Amino acid sequence: MKYNSVTDIIGPVMVGPSSSHTAGAVRIGQVARSIYGGQAEEADLTFYGSFAHTFKGHGTDVAVVAGLLGLSTFDICIPEAFALAKAAGLKVTIKASDELTDHPNTAKIVMRGPAGEVTVTGISIGGGSVQITEVNDFQIRVSDDKPTTLIIHQDKAGVIASVTEVFGRHNVNIAHMEVARKERGELALMSIETDEKVDEEILSTLRKLPYMYKVIHIKR
Protein backbone atom coordinates (compact mmCIF):
# COMPACT_ATOMS: atom_id res chain seq x y z
CA MET A 1 0.00 0.00 0.00
CA LYS A 2 1.27 3.46 -0.88
CA TYR A 3 1.13 6.18 1.79
CA ASN A 4 1.03 9.82 0.75
CA SER A 5 1.69 11.33 4.16
CA VAL A 6 2.36 10.46 7.80
CA THR A 7 -1.35 11.02 8.58
CA ASP A 8 -2.16 8.06 6.32
CA ILE A 9 -0.17 5.90 8.76
CA ILE A 10 -0.82 7.32 12.24
CA GLY A 11 -3.89 9.48 11.59
CA PRO A 12 -4.44 13.18 12.23
CA VAL A 13 -3.69 15.18 15.36
CA MET A 14 -7.00 14.81 17.13
CA VAL A 15 -9.13 14.24 20.18
CA GLY A 16 -10.22 10.58 19.77
CA PRO A 17 -11.26 7.89 19.89
CA SER A 18 -11.52 7.38 16.10
CA SER A 19 -10.00 9.17 13.14
CA SER A 20 -12.97 8.19 10.97
CA HIS A 21 -15.81 8.56 13.47
CA THR A 22 -14.44 11.46 15.51
CA ALA A 23 -11.79 13.50 13.68
CA GLY A 24 -13.54 12.99 10.34
CA ALA A 25 -16.85 13.97 11.91
CA VAL A 26 -15.32 17.20 13.25
CA ARG A 27 -14.05 17.93 9.76
CA ILE A 28 -17.50 17.35 8.21
CA GLY A 29 -18.90 19.89 10.68
CA GLN A 30 -16.11 22.36 9.89
CA VAL A 31 -16.72 22.15 6.15
CA ALA A 32 -20.48 22.44 6.62
CA ARG A 33 -19.91 25.59 8.70
CA SER A 34 -17.68 26.99 5.95
CA ILE A 35 -20.30 26.26 3.29
CA TYR A 36 -22.99 27.89 5.41
CA GLY A 37 -20.80 30.93 5.86
CA GLY A 38 -20.51 30.91 9.65
CA GLN A 39 -22.61 30.07 12.66
CA ALA A 40 -26.08 28.63 12.08
CA GLU A 41 -28.87 28.90 14.63
CA GLU A 42 -30.22 25.38 14.12
CA ALA A 43 -28.61 22.16 12.92
CA ASP A 44 -30.43 18.88 12.25
CA LEU A 45 -27.97 15.97 12.10
CA THR A 46 -28.81 12.60 10.54
CA PHE A 47 -26.36 9.70 10.73
CA TYR A 48 -26.33 6.74 8.36
CA GLY A 49 -24.62 3.35 8.22
CA SER A 50 -21.83 2.82 10.71
CA PHE A 51 -22.25 6.39 11.96
CA ALA A 52 -25.86 5.60 12.84
CA HIS A 53 -24.93 2.54 14.90
CA THR A 54 -21.85 3.83 16.72
CA PHE A 55 -22.17 7.61 16.91
CA LYS A 56 -22.83 7.67 20.66
CA GLY A 57 -19.91 5.42 21.58
CA HIS A 58 -17.46 7.17 19.27
CA GLY A 59 -18.66 10.68 20.01
CA THR A 60 -19.54 11.32 16.36
CA ASP A 61 -22.48 13.53 17.33
CA VAL A 62 -20.33 15.59 19.69
CA ALA A 63 -17.62 15.81 17.02
CA VAL A 64 -19.91 17.13 14.26
CA VAL A 65 -21.30 19.77 16.61
CA ALA A 66 -17.75 20.76 17.56
CA GLY A 67 -16.98 21.23 13.87
CA LEU A 68 -20.11 23.32 13.39
CA LEU A 69 -18.82 25.57 16.17
CA GLY A 70 -15.49 25.96 14.40
CA LEU A 71 -13.41 23.82 16.79
CA SER A 72 -10.35 22.01 15.43
CA THR A 73 -9.89 18.23 15.45
CA PHE A 74 -7.46 18.54 18.37
CA ASP A 75 -9.38 21.04 20.50
CA ILE A 76 -9.65 19.77 24.08
CA CYS A 77 -13.11 21.38 24.29
CA ILE A 78 -14.63 18.88 21.82
CA PRO A 79 -16.22 16.76 24.60
CA GLU A 80 -18.04 19.89 25.77
CA ALA A 81 -19.49 20.66 22.32
CA PHE A 82 -23.14 20.30 23.33
CA ALA A 83 -22.76 22.73 26.22
CA LEU A 84 -20.81 25.12 24.00
CA ALA A 85 -23.52 24.90 21.32
CA LYS A 86 -26.20 25.78 23.85
CA ALA A 87 -24.15 28.75 25.05
CA ALA A 88 -23.60 29.88 21.45
CA GLY A 89 -27.31 29.69 20.60
CA LEU A 90 -26.98 26.68 18.29
CA LYS A 91 -29.97 24.33 18.64
CA VAL A 92 -29.09 20.77 17.63
CA THR A 93 -31.31 17.77 16.87
CA ILE A 94 -29.90 14.31 16.14
CA LYS A 95 -31.32 11.16 14.63
CA ALA A 96 -30.10 7.87 13.17
CA SER A 97 -31.41 6.48 9.90
CA ASP A 98 -31.49 2.94 8.49
CA GLU A 99 -31.62 4.29 4.95
CA LEU A 100 -28.91 2.78 2.76
CA THR A 101 -26.19 5.13 1.54
CA ASP A 102 -23.18 4.75 -0.73
CA HIS A 103 -20.74 5.06 2.19
CA PRO A 104 -21.09 3.70 5.76
CA ASN A 105 -19.77 6.85 7.43
CA THR A 106 -22.33 9.38 6.20
CA ALA A 107 -23.73 12.43 7.94
CA LYS A 108 -26.36 14.85 6.66
CA ILE A 109 -26.54 18.32 8.18
CA VAL A 110 -29.40 20.75 7.67
CA MET A 111 -28.46 24.23 8.90
CA ARG A 112 -30.82 27.16 9.41
CA GLY A 113 -30.18 30.73 10.43
CA PRO A 114 -29.34 34.16 8.99
CA ALA A 115 -28.15 32.62 5.71
CA GLY A 116 -31.38 30.67 5.22
CA GLU A 117 -31.40 26.86 5.00
CA VAL A 118 -28.42 24.92 3.69
CA THR A 119 -28.08 21.13 3.49
CA VAL A 120 -24.67 19.44 3.40
CA THR A 121 -23.97 15.71 3.22
CA GLY A 122 -20.47 14.45 3.99
CA ILE A 123 -18.65 11.15 4.35
CA SER A 124 -15.63 10.27 6.46
CA ILE A 125 -13.23 8.25 4.30
CA GLY A 126 -10.56 7.45 6.89
CA GLY A 127 -7.60 9.08 8.56
CA GLY A 128 -9.61 12.20 9.34
CA SER A 129 -10.20 12.95 5.65
CA VAL A 130 -13.70 13.65 4.34
CA GLN A 131 -15.64 14.26 1.17
CA ILE A 132 -18.71 16.39 0.64
CA THR A 133 -21.17 14.55 -1.59
CA GLU A 134 -24.19 16.86 -1.64
CA VAL A 135 -24.94 20.55 -1.15
CA ASN A 136 -28.59 21.67 -1.39
CA ASP A 137 -29.59 18.68 -3.55
CA PHE A 138 -26.60 19.16 -5.88
CA GLN A 139 -24.68 15.89 -6.18
CA ILE A 140 -20.95 16.69 -6.02
CA ARG A 141 -17.71 15.10 -4.90
CA VAL A 142 -15.49 17.52 -3.01
CA SER A 143 -12.49 16.36 -0.99
CA ASP A 144 -10.93 18.47 1.73
CA ASP A 145 -7.27 17.95 0.84
CA LYS A 146 -7.05 20.83 -1.65
CA PRO A 147 -8.29 24.44 -1.62
CA THR A 148 -11.87 24.21 -2.91
CA THR A 149 -14.22 26.90 -4.19
CA LEU A 150 -17.95 26.31 -4.57
CA ILE A 151 -19.87 28.62 -6.89
CA ILE A 152 -23.65 28.73 -7.07
CA HIS A 153 -24.70 30.48 -10.26
CA GLN A 154 -27.32 30.68 -12.94
CA ASP A 155 -26.88 28.16 -15.73
CA LYS A 156 -25.89 30.46 -18.59
CA ALA A 157 -23.52 30.11 -21.52
CA GLY A 158 -20.11 31.61 -20.83
CA VAL A 159 -20.26 31.47 -17.02
CA ILE A 160 -17.79 28.58 -16.72
CA ALA A 161 -15.40 30.26 -19.13
CA SER A 162 -15.52 33.53 -17.18
CA VAL A 163 -14.75 31.69 -13.93
CA THR A 164 -11.81 29.71 -15.29
CA GLU A 165 -10.44 32.91 -16.88
CA VAL A 166 -10.24 34.51 -13.44
CA PHE A 167 -8.27 31.57 -12.04
CA GLY A 168 -5.95 31.58 -15.05
CA ARG A 169 -5.35 35.34 -14.81
CA HIS A 170 -4.23 34.88 -11.20
CA ASN A 171 -1.98 31.89 -12.05
CA VAL A 172 -4.10 29.46 -10.04
CA ASN A 173 -4.16 25.99 -11.57
CA ILE A 174 -7.43 24.04 -11.49
CA ALA A 175 -6.76 20.46 -10.36
CA HIS A 176 -10.32 19.18 -10.55
CA MET A 177 -13.66 20.69 -11.50
CA GLU A 178 -17.26 19.46 -11.44
CA VAL A 179 -20.43 21.17 -12.61
CA ALA A 180 -23.97 20.20 -11.64
CA ARG A 181 -27.33 21.77 -12.43
CA LYS A 182 -30.94 21.08 -11.52
CA GLU A 183 -32.51 22.20 -14.78
CA ARG A 184 -31.33 23.96 -17.89
CA GLY A 185 -31.14 27.70 -17.29
CA GLU A 186 -31.76 27.35 -13.55
CA LEU A 187 -29.38 27.12 -10.59
CA ALA A 188 -26.06 25.35 -11.11
CA LEU A 189 -23.09 24.55 -8.92
CA MET A 190 -19.40 24.53 -9.74
CA SER A 191 -16.89 22.86 -7.41
CA ILE A 192 -13.30 23.77 -8.19
CA GLU A 193 -10.23 22.25 -6.52
CA THR A 194 -6.99 24.16 -7.07
CA ASP A 195 -3.29 23.53 -6.55
CA GLU A 196 -2.75 27.00 -5.15
CA LYS A 197 -4.50 28.94 -2.41
CA VAL A 198 -7.41 31.13 -3.47
CA ASP A 199 -7.13 34.55 -1.87
CA GLU A 200 -9.84 37.11 -1.14
CA GLU A 201 -8.99 39.12 -4.26
CA ILE A 202 -9.89 36.16 -6.46
CA LEU A 203 -13.07 35.44 -4.50
CA SER A 204 -14.10 39.10 -4.72
CA THR A 205 -13.53 39.09 -8.49
CA LEU A 206 -15.62 35.93 -8.88
CA ARG A 207 -18.49 37.41 -6.87
CA LYS A 208 -18.65 40.37 -9.25
CA LEU A 209 -19.08 38.21 -12.35
CA PRO A 210 -22.52 38.08 -14.02
CA TYR A 211 -24.99 35.40 -12.88
CA MET A 212 -23.19 34.71 -9.58
CA TYR A 213 -25.36 33.91 -6.53
CA LYS A 214 -22.83 32.68 -4.00
CA VAL A 215 -19.09 32.02 -3.93
CA ILE A 216 -17.85 29.86 -1.05
CA HIS A 217 -14.27 28.99 -0.21
CA ILE A 218 -13.70 25.86 1.87
CA LYS A 219 -10.68 26.30 4.10
CA ARG A 220 -8.52 23.38 5.17
Side-chain angles (χ1 to χ4, degrees):
M1 180 182 292
K2 180 179 178 181
Y3 297 107
N4 296 316
S5 69
V6 68
T7 58
D8 291 340
I9 303 172
I10 63 173
V13 179
M14 67 175 190
V15 172
S18 168
S19 61
S20 293
H21 287 223
T22 314
V26 172
R27 186 60 188 145
I28 290 173
Q30 289 174 338
V31 176
R33 175 188 173 95
S34 181
I35 292 173
Y36 190 77
Q39 182 74 57
E41 295 175 348
E42 299 179 13
D44 297 338
L45 315 183
T46 304
F47 295 118
Y48 303 87
S50 179
F51 270 4
H53 293 106
T54 65
F55 74 88
K56 290 184 178 180
H58 285 173
T60 306
D61 51 349
V62 177
V64 172
V65 173
L68 290 173
L69 293 172
L71 301 186
S72 68
T73 57
F74 51 87
D75 196 307
I76 61 173
C77 293
I78 287 175
E80 308 301 322
F82 286 135
L84 294 173
K86 184 176 180 179
L90 173 59
K91 180 181 178 182
V92 179
T93 62
I94 299 169
K95 68 177 181 179
S97 173
D98 292 328
E99 181 182 344
L100 295 178
T101 55
D102 292 335
H103 195 280
N105 299 333
T106 299
K108 182 177 182 179
I109 307 171
V110 181
M111 296 162 286
R112 303 180 190 89
E117 182 174 297
V118 176
T119 300
V120 174
T121 300
I123 60 176
S124 179
I125 59 177
S129 295
V130 304
Q131 290 182 343
I132 301 303
T133 59
E134 184 178 344
V135 176
N136 284 359
D137 297 327
F138 287 107
Q139 303 298 315
I140 60 174
R141 183 71 62 172
V142 176
S143 62
D144 70 336
D145 60 349
K146 288 183 179 294
T148 301
T149 304
L150 300 180
I151 301 175
I152 300 175
H153 60 96
Q154 190 172 358
D155 179 39
K156 291 283 188 180
V159 171
I160 296 175
S162 66
V163 168
T164 57
E165 190 276 332
V166 170
F167 283 104
R169 182 162 20 106
H170 288 83
N171 295 315
V172 174
N173 188 53
I174 295 175
H176 180 76
M177 181 176 181
E178 291 187 17
V179 180
R181 68 180 183 183
K182 295 182 178 179
E183 293 184 22
R184 181 176 180 179
E186 300 298 327
L187 282 183
L189 173 67
M190 274 185 260
S191 61
I192 303 172
E193 296 180 3
T194 56
D195 291 329
E196 293 80 21
K197 292 182 179 179
V198 177
D199 59 28
E200 188 56 41
E201 180 183 356
I202 297 174
L203 297 175
S204 178
T205 301
L206 291 171
R207 292 183 180 113
K208 294 175 183 177
L209 293 175
Y211 307 116
M212 296 291 113
Y213 289 113
K214 195 170 187 179
V215 177
I216 304 161
H217 186 57
I218 301 175
K219 299 178 181 179
R220 177 59 175 160

